[in-house]
Every structure is written in C-alpha cells, then in structure tokens.
Amino acid sequence: MANKKPKVAVFKFASCDGCQLSLLDAEDELLAVADAVDIAYFPEASRKMLKGPYDIGVVEGSITTPHDVGLIREIRRMSRTLIIIGACATAGGIQALRNWKDIKEFTNIVYATPEYISTLDRSMPIASFVHVDFELRGCPINKYQLLEVINAFLNQRKPNISAYSVCVECKLKGNICIAVANGIPCLGPVTHAGCGAICPSYKRGCYGCFGPMESPNTSALSKHLFEMGQTGYDIMLAFRSFNAYALEFRKESDAYEK
Amino acid sequence: MNNSLKLESHHLNTLFNSLKRDNYTLIAPIISNGSIIYEQVNSAEELPRGWTDEQEAATYRLKKQNDNAYFSYNVSPYSWKKFLFPPHIRLFTVESKGKSFKINSSDAPIPAYAFIGVRPCELNAIKIQDKVFNNGQYTDTVYKTRREKVFIVAVNCTQAGGTCFCVSMNTGPKAKGGFDIALTEVINEDGHFFIADPGSEKGTKLMEDIPCSTARQSEIETAERLVQTTAQNMGRSLDTNDIKKLLFASLDSPYWNDVASRCLTCANCTLVCPTCFCSTVEDITDISGEHAERWRRWDSCFTMDFARVFGGNFRPSSKGRYRQWLTHKLASWIDQFGTSGCVGCGRCITWCPVGIDITEEVKRLKNEY
Amino acid sequence: MAIKDLSEILQTHPFVNDLTEQHLQTLISCVTNVRFSEGTYIFHEGEEADKFYLIRAGRVALEIHAGKKGIIRVQTIGPGEVLGWSWLISPYRWHYDACVVEDVRALTFDGKCLRTKCETDHNFGYEMLKRFSQVLEQNLKATRMQLLDIYGS
Amino acid sequence: MVHNIDPMIPIPAHIRRVNWETEDTFTLLLEPECGNNNKFQFLPGQFNMLYAFGIGESAISISSDPFKKNTISHTIHRLGIVTNSLSQLKHGDTIGLRGPFGSGWPVENAKGMDVCIVAGGIGLAPLRPVIYSILRSRKKYRKIFLLYGARSPLDLLYRAELEQWGKFPDIHVLITADHGDSSWKGNVGVVTKLFSYIKLDGFRTTAMICGPEIMMKFTLQELQQYGVPPNQIFISMERNMKCGIGLCGHCQCGPKFVCKDGPVFPLPQVSHLLDKKEI
C-alpha cells in the first residue's frame, strides 16, 4: 500500500493563508494525515513538488485575476477530487467587498503604475469557474472539519459536515442562546454551522464567518434585529463581511444599503 | 387520606444528602451564564435562591427577588431530556479484522440520576418520551438504561411564566404522578417550608429519613391555593379543541406561507422542546479506515438533511418543514402516542430567536380555517 | 368477411363502448379486417395517414430512427388499443414507423371516408373526437411518465 | 431479529455471493451470524439496515425466499455512497445487518383471492418474496398477475425468473419497458398500460404495489377503475430512515412511521397523504 498513497496537493489563490495554516495547526492529527497521504504539493509546508494528477486537490482563496482563472482550470484538470476551503474560496472572501466598488478607482489609488495591474473587476468564488466536489466553509475553516473531509474522501464516505444553523451547534454544546438571554444581536440562526459556535460560547454574537446556512431566512432575522434596535446600516454591515458575496448575505446587505 | 408532609426549608438539604447517600448523581437548577440550567449539584445551597426568570417570546432575563425561595422561577432553556436522551452519544465502535470486523457496543457506566426541581409540564414531557422511546415494538436502549434509574423530585409551580400554557395542555401546574416526591414551596407569615408528597415507594422510603412532620390541613390548603393561583395566571393559552382536525384539515392552508416567511428554520424550537426526540446517526472512521464508530446526535425536522433521500428531499421548503413540526407536535403525535406532543412549557416561544409563538400560530391557523 | 361478422368483432373492442347504433353503422361502413405478420411495417414515418387501427390481437411497436442511437421503440400498442390518430389531424402524416412485433389482427378504418362523415355528421365527428382525445390524453400521460424516468432512482 | 440484542447494534453478515442483475443493480446473498442456532426469519416486504464498514447504513428490502432460512438476499441499486460501497464487496466479505424491520405484504390474507402485483424498477425486489410464497402454496390463491415496468429491457431484474414464473398456469407475467431497441419484442410504455391487457375481478383482488410514489399513484387510478376496494390495496413507501425501528423520527409520513408502521401499508392508511406535497 505504501507506494499507492493518495496524492494530495494544496493550492492557494487570493487569501490570507489562514485556512492552510489550520491544517498545519492540527499538529497531532497532521502526522496521521501525512502518513496516510502523499503530500504532492503544499508550498506552505514543504518544498516537495510532485507532478499531477492528484487524487485530492485542496484549494484556498478566491479568483481575482485572469491568470487565476487559467490556473484554477488547470488545477481542476489535475485533481480527481477538488475540495475548496474557506470563505475566500467558497464566497470570494473579505476581499469581495471590493465587488461593490469600482476596481479602477482602487488600482489608481493603491498602485503607482496601475496600468501594470491585471485584475478581474470582482473577487469570485472558485465554483464560479470550475466544478467543485466539496466546499468547506469558514473564515477560517475549522481544522477538525478539514481533517474530517480529507478523512472522509480517503475512506470514500460522506463527510459529517452539517449545513444547518449555528444554533444547532450551540444547543448540542449546551450553550444558552445569547440572543434570547442577553439580547445580543447574533447571525447564528442564518449561519452555516462548523465553527463549533465559538463566538456565542464567549457571549459574542455570531459574525457569520461560515456563510449562509442551508435555508437561511435572512430577511426574517434582519426584521427582528431591526426591532431589537439595530439600524439598517448595522444590518448591512453584519451581512457584508467575510461572506459578503455569498448569494443570500449579499442580497440581504443590498436590501439594507441606503 | 393525607400523606402530605411538611419539610422545613432549612431541611431541604437533607433530602439532597439522602439522595447522595443512595448514590444518586444530583441534577438541579443552578445559575450559569445568566440563565438557570440543570446541572450536577452537591447541595441545596447551589439552587438559584431568590432568583426568578422573566420569559417572553424571544426574551429570557433573570431577576433577583428578595424572597429567598428556592424554586420561584420557571423552566430552564434546557430540558431534562439531555440526560435521558443525550445530545451526542456513541452507539458502537468497530474494528476491522481482515475481511471481517468486530462491533463493540458501549459499556460505559450509566449514572443513576436524581432530578430535583422537575416541573409538572416537564414530568409530562418525560412521560411522553417514555412512550416514544418504548414504542411497543422497540425500546431505545440509551434512553431506557438511563430512565429506569432516575429518581424524580418534582416541584409544583407557584408562579406562572410569561410563556407558560400548561393549563391548556392539562400538564400542570400541579404534578399528578410520575414523580417520587413532589414539593410545593410555601413562604408566608408561618415561615418557609415545603409540602412534600411522596409519589412512589422509593419516595416514601426516602422521606422516612428526612426530618419532617405531617402537614396540617391549613398548610396543605395554602400550598394548594398557590398552585391554583398559578393556574389562573398562565402567561398564554392554546385552544386544543378539535386541534387534530384543525391541523389535518389545514395542510393546504395559505397560513403556512405566512409562518414560513418568519421562520428561520434554525431548529431552536425542536432542540429546546422537552418532547422532540428526533436523532440522526453519523458514521466516522479514523484516517487509516481500520477503526470506525457510529454516533447518534439530536436532529431536527427543520434541517434539510432530515427528509433527504438519494435523488430527492421529501420536505425541501421551510413551509413544509414548519408544517411538519407543528402538525406532528399537536396532531399526528396524538395518533402515534395517544397524547399531544406539547406540554405547554413555552420553551419554543421563549427560545425562538424571532419569537414565533406556537399559541399565536394556532390562533392564526384557526382564523384561516 | 360479411358486414355482420365485422360488426360483431367491432363490438368486442373497447373503443366502441357505448357508441350509438347509428354511429356504429357509420363506422362499419368504413371498416376492413386486416392481418399483419411479425416483422412487417403497417406504416412509415412521413407517409400519408389515411387509416387507423383497432388492435384485436398481437402487438405493434412505434419506432423512431434516432440516427446513431439506432431504432428506439417508444410505445407498443396491443389488444384493445387504438393505433394511429394522425388521420384525424392535419396534415395527416404518420410520425412514427409502426412495426409488428407480434402477429397482428386488427380492424382498419378508412380515414378519408371517416373524415368526410365527421364533416357531414358533426355528432358523429364529436363522438370520434372525444374518443381520440382520450387516446391522445393517455399517450400524453404515458409520455410524461416516461419522461420522468421514474424507475431511474 | 436475533433476540435480546440492542436493535441499534448490527450483527455481522457474510457475503456468500454477489450477482449483478443489471449494470447498476446487484444482489448480495448473505449469511447473517444469528448465533445460538437461531435462524434468520422475515416476512415478505420487510427490510434490513445494511451497514458498510465505516461508511454508513442503508435500508434495503429483503428479496429472497422467506422459507430459505440460512441465507437471505438483498437486491441493491447502486446509487449513493453506502450502496456504492456495498457494490464493491466480494464473496467472503462482511457487512453489518440490523433487522428484519417493518411490516410485510398480506401474503396470508390474500389467500383465496386473485393477486395483482405491480412493480416498478427496483420495486420488484421486495415483492419477490411474495411471489416465492405464493408459488409455495399456489393452490391457496386464485389468479396471479405480475405487472412489471422498468426503464429499459436491460434494467429488468430477475429476467430468468420472470420467464419461469410466466410458465406457471394462471400466473400472468406482463412486462414493459419505457423504451426499447429493435431487439425488444415486449411492451413499451409505462407499467400502468399493462392493465389494459388483463381482466381483473376487482372485488376479488388483493393488489400489492411497489415502485416510485408517482408510479404507485397512477397505478392506484387503474385499480380504482377495476373496483379493487382500497383495503385490498397495499403499497410500499419510501422515506429517509436512520434507526429502522420508529425511534429517530426521520421516516414520518403523516402520523405513520414508515419503518415501523410500514413500509407496507394498506391504502386507506396513507391514501389521503399521497396527493399532498411535502408530507
């Protein structure tokens, strides 16, 4: 079996590298993973570089340049299974905030010679360009979820990753709902589970780092937040963050943009 | 005949001690993170003495009260079901052995719980789950092994919460069986005491070791009056007349669109509900694929995976999912288990993040009917 | 075969259930008894549709030539069923090939003759239309179910 | 069930043979480890939860002869992750098994009656034990009709057996495919059209239907036309199942738990739910 280990490659587009680091952060478990797979390409961790095709391609980051577009198509071609990780890859990331503005203005302000900058006018999720086999949400992703996905694909089973709300995680964990008990505005009811309900566990409202849950009723939540005293601007900002360009969050923030 | 005993409040802890002596793990209300939850305790002094809760749709607040009462609050965000039907539990482990494998079921020791402070609505919820998890043909081992050891100290309600409607569901505010001991807390000019009613042999036996006296008729009546007043002050009510007919005849009602526009499908109502019993299983493996486990965890009819089968989903819309929940809870539950699935505890109202109120929803549905 | 025998045979076919005597006679004036053996074609796609058939025994398959996919049989018509409705609807052309897959005995009706009779006797015409509408509706329903690929998953 | 064991814990079952019925459907012949000389007993129509090691479980009906007690068979359509994993197993491999669960077809009550069996696709699998049972006490039943539809001739299950069954006197086996090529001489069309080729004595008929819900709905219309009383019609339902024993809540269809009250239901118990959406 030793020479037939599945080849795994990790790629990066526009992102902060945080999601890749989650994998490196999984110290104990990483050894087991490294033992079970052949890390063919992972510039963050190793200089080794093996040619494709790969059994699993893991992609972090969003597509922001014409060059990226070509590259992601090449990666798709080389990867039997394509797993994308993190809010940048699944929703365009925090950098998708620029999607609401004129890109030319930005490049003119930021760069001395903007004519050398070749960029798309928007930061786009990977799935806008290629077929994706699995999307792992989060900003950053949860390292245990990443291990679970890799484990599941290696063992050809269904990853135990749920698309229900963060509320379910709070309840399974035994958290008391901070929205109800403390009146703290919380995006938990419309947000995809996976983080382990970190913020509510520390009495902070959910920021929606994992993007929209499976059937988000964002307008009903906004209406309630409004009644609780949030302004339309607060609500717009709440939805316009790490997953701003995810369809349901985008629509909701647009609805409150005055 | 009068079996009622009078237990002075300063002897309440003897009850706790006797239960501990009998090797029970005591679970009782305590304050944690701004709310009252059910957790393991050592003594009566850990109870939220002098605190009360204010509950309304989508709000819950604790308030200090200067009465030193042990039990002047209502139901907690979490119900007792988390001890009998754990949110997450391993069903078995499997080791691969060549072409075969070996399955090992869990043999972890199961504690004997003493639940202290179980409200009448909650007693009824436990009775309902008893029926659910022993459906005549099959018994749930996880539930049964925990349930059969439980000792229940019920507490009759001497105040009604803002979202309570046990009177409508005929489940309170006085406990009618299903407990080992039922307490009614009285604070008046005569002092601070409990009327204690043993409800089982176990309960009677336990009370024998506890310093208490036979309750006087007037004391019993005082306690009765408190419970009666509670019944008259219910925060809410739900009209259960013809409720089954109403729900079954309303499957195509336009009302469901209305509630679907408000419902977040976040599943909170089902998870706080003391009778909701749905669960799912997850299979996991270690990375080598040689060791596998199956876990069971709480599920909810509000999740998309709930009715998903290969190639489709029987209940994809939030309208369909809310309708499933309400219709099941109030109507088809009666066909399945001979009782409503609702005990009127009001948790689903308090803990719905947008305050959807089952009692109001039934009214709306009636108006459409 | 004598008209009397044909009339008896005709009356055993479900298509004419509850038809008035008068309309039955109108139909009989256009009928012929036919047989086809396995492997023969009753009609071909594109040919003029000037007949319809009430199948008494055997089985006919409607075929489409689907290029490189070869011949696909999309429907079979057996005893008690009606073959062909294109005679009733302009431009009166067959849309499929009708291949006999099991020796067929049938009654056939002259479409042109019937069309004339439908025009002159609107009551008769309406009766025919009702019955053929049913055939069409059944075909449509069956086609929809086939489209759903219901056994697939 | 193998008694006194937690119904949530699978027992090992050894694969004795794998038969590919069609391109994507296979039959596993299993020998469950019942222990203490127990035999595995089941009713036609019941199902087992089959567990692929580490992958998960799938509810699969039993498709073998209920009188054969040492081995049972399951005909499985390779669709999802679990069935795909099961499809990769070979002779000598082991799977986990819980069951048998659920209600069976009214094989006993149908005695003295005509029996009309209508199956679509993989729906023939849970009805095969019915046919075996009837053939064992053939004289106790009157006429038997088996109407069976599949997507194409290549998707027909148990072709050799179908041919055999058709040779018995007074067993009418009618088969149809949604489409065929020129080598297919049989019927083409949906399964309901086969009704036009049989004569049912509605009042004396017990009907058993298994297939996709939509197929059952159209079949019911046909049976109604023949005057088969609703309480003589039985259908087998499908829902998401996790426990198989009425405890997990997933398979509810109105007040019924499909796993425990069904999967086989007399029509009057579920007919009012069939035309409702998202029940």
Side-chain angles (χ1 to χ4, degrees), chain A residues 159-224:
Chain A
N160 291 304
I161 304 286
S162 299
Y164 49 52
S165 69
V166 170
C167 300
V168 177
E169 288 195 299
C170 266
K171 293 289 178 285
L172 289 174
K173 214 175 164 185
N175 285 349
I176 306 302
C177 178
I178 49 154
V180 170
N182 307 89
I184 298 170
C186 179
L187 291 187
V190 295
T191 300
H192 194 290
C195 64
I198 300 174
C199 294
S201 303
Y202 292 100
K203 277 207 173 186
R204 301 292 297 266
C206 168
Y207 292 100
C209 306
F210 276 57
M213 54 89 92
E214 56 195 2
S215 54
N217 189 346
T218 48
S219 60
L221 184 67
S222 298
K223 189 165 170 273
H224 185 74

Side-chain angles (χ1 to χ4, degrees), chain C residues 101-146:
Chain C
V101 289
E102 211 177 286
D103 289 357
V104 161
R105 280 182 289 133
L107 296 171
T108 180
F109 299 82
D110 180 334
K112 279 187 188 161
C113 159
L114 277 178
R115 284 206 300 264
T116 316
K117 288 180 174 166
C118 289
E119 286 300 338
T120 48
D121 178 354
H122 281 185
N123 280 340
F124 176 73
Y126 181 54
E127 201 53 55
M128 285 295 108
L129 206 60
K130 274 202 286 189
R131 277 154 210 264
F132 274 90
S133 301
Q134 217 159 54
V135 173
L136 287 174
E137 192 248 11
Q138 276 163 11
N139 282 346
L140 182 62
K141 213 161 84 178
T143 308
R144 282 183 179 153
M145 277 174 76
Q146 282 167 290

Side-chain angles (χ1 to χ4, degrees), chain B residues 256-315:
Chain B
W256 304 111
N257 291 321
D258 172 63
V259 71
S261 74
R262 291 175 281 129
C263 174
L264 302 172
T265 63
C266 63
N268 272 304
C269 49
T270 54
L271 300 168
V272 295
C273 178
T275 68
C276 272
F277 60 86
C278 290
S279 64
T280 188
V281 288
E282 284 176 345
D283 286 282
I284 58 168
T285 42
D286 67 355
I287 202 132
S288 69
E290 277 163 16
H291 170 92
E293 298 182 356
R294 172 169 301 159
W295 287 74
R296 180 173 88 176
R297 66 162 168 77
W298 286 356
D299 202 356
S300 164
C301 51
F302 283 98
T303 68
M304 283 290 252
D305 270 340
F306 191 79
R308 187 173 279 153
V309 291
F310 189 88
N313 193 329
F314 284 99
R315 239 170 265 124

Side-chain angles (χ1 to χ4, degrees), chain A residues 70-99:
Chain A
L71 197 55
I72 189 62
R73 291 194 173 129
E74 175 68 7
I75 291 167
R76 171 72 269 189
R77 208 174 53 76
M78 299 284 256
S79 311
R80 219 166 42 157
T81 300
L82 188 68
I83 299 170
I84 64 169
I85 60 170
C88 299
T90 61
I94 193 75
Q95 61 273 28
L97 285 175
R98 75 177 208 193
N99 296 2

Side-chain angles (χ1 to χ4, degrees), chain D residues 120-139:
Chain D
I122 188 86
L124 183 58
L127 284 161
R128 189 164 72 155
V130 174
I131 300 164
Y132 288 133
S133 299
I134 289 174
L135 292 177
R136 275 187 190 268
S137 9
R138 180 65 194 91
K139 291 202 176 114

Side-chain angles (χ1 to χ4, degrees), chain B residues 74-317:
Chain B
N74 292 98
V75 294
S76 143
Y78 286 98
S79 63
W80 303 94
K81 85 174 173 187
K82 78 168 186 175
F83 299 99
L84 301 177
F85 167 45
H88 207 205
I89 191 164
R90 189 166 63 196
L91 294 177
F92 58 78
T93 61
V94 201
E95 302 300 330
S96 125
K97 285 187 160 184
K99 294 193 113 187
S100 188
F101 51 78
K102 190 174 181 301
I103 300 172
N104 306 300
S105 52
S106 164
D107 48 5
I110 289 150
Y113 292 117
F115 293 163
I116 302 166
V118 180
R119 301 295 177 166
C121 61
E122 298 180 315
L123 273 180
N124 279 282
I126 293 171
K127 273 195 233 170
I128 289 171
Q129 286 212 328
D130 287 349
K131 284 185 194 166
V132 168
F133 288 118
N134 179 0
N135 62 28
Q137 275 170 280
Y138 298 98
T139 305
D140 183 75
T141 314
V142 172
Y143 185 86
K144 181 172 166 258
T145 49
R146 285 160 179 73
R147 175 70 178 98
E148 61 195 6
K149 295 180 180 172
V150 168
F151 188 100
I152 292 181
V153 179
V155 171
N156 291 321
C157 291
T158 49
Q159 70 161 41
T163 55
C164 290
F165 57 102
C166 63
V167 168
S168 304
M169 305 317 292
N170 197 22
T171 57
K174 187 178 167 64
K176 295 174 191 146
F179 53 82
D180 295 296
I181 299 167
L183 304 176
T184 313
E185 186 172 24
V186 180
I187 301 178
N188 62 10
E189 56 282 6
D190 298 335
H192 184 178
F193 61 90
F194 295 93
I195 297 297
D197 293 294
S200 72
E201 253 177 61
K202 268 196 294 185
T204 311
K205 199 154 171 294
L206 194 90
M207 287 308 287
E208 283 168 6
D209 308 340
I210 292 163
C212 51
S213 56
T214 305
R216 279 178 302 177
Q217 193 58 33
S218 63
E219 289 162 342
I220 296 170
E221 277 166 16
T222 309
E224 278 293 328
R225 261 198 307 280
L226 284 169
V227 177
Q228 274 165 21
T229 315
T230 306
Q232 286 153 13
N233 291 324
M234 282 287 116
R236 279 168 165 71
S237 69
L238 190 147
D239 181 2
T240 58
N241 275 324
D242 280 335
I243 187 98
K244 228 173 90 172
K245 205 173 124 201
L246 170 72
L247 281 148
F248 288 154
S250 301
L251 294 176
D252 297 320
S253 168
Y255 155 79
W256 304 111
N257 291 321
D258 172 63
V259 71
S261 74
R262 291 175 281 129
C263 174
L264 302 172
T265 63
C266 63
N268 272 304
C269 49
T270 54
L271 300 168
V272 295
C273 178
T275 68
C276 272
F277 60 86
C278 290
S279 64
T280 188
V281 288
E282 284 176 345
D283 286 282
I284 58 168
T285 42
D286 67 355
I287 202 132
S288 69
E290 277 163 16
H291 170 92
E293 298 182 356
R294 172 169 301 159
W295 287 74
R296 180 173 88 176
R297 66 162 168 77
W298 286 356
D299 202 356
S300 164
C301 51
F302 283 98
T303 68
M304 283 290 252
D305 270 340
F306 191 79
R308 187 173 279 153
V309 291
F310 189 88
N313 193 329
F314 284 99
R315 239 170 265 124
S317 75

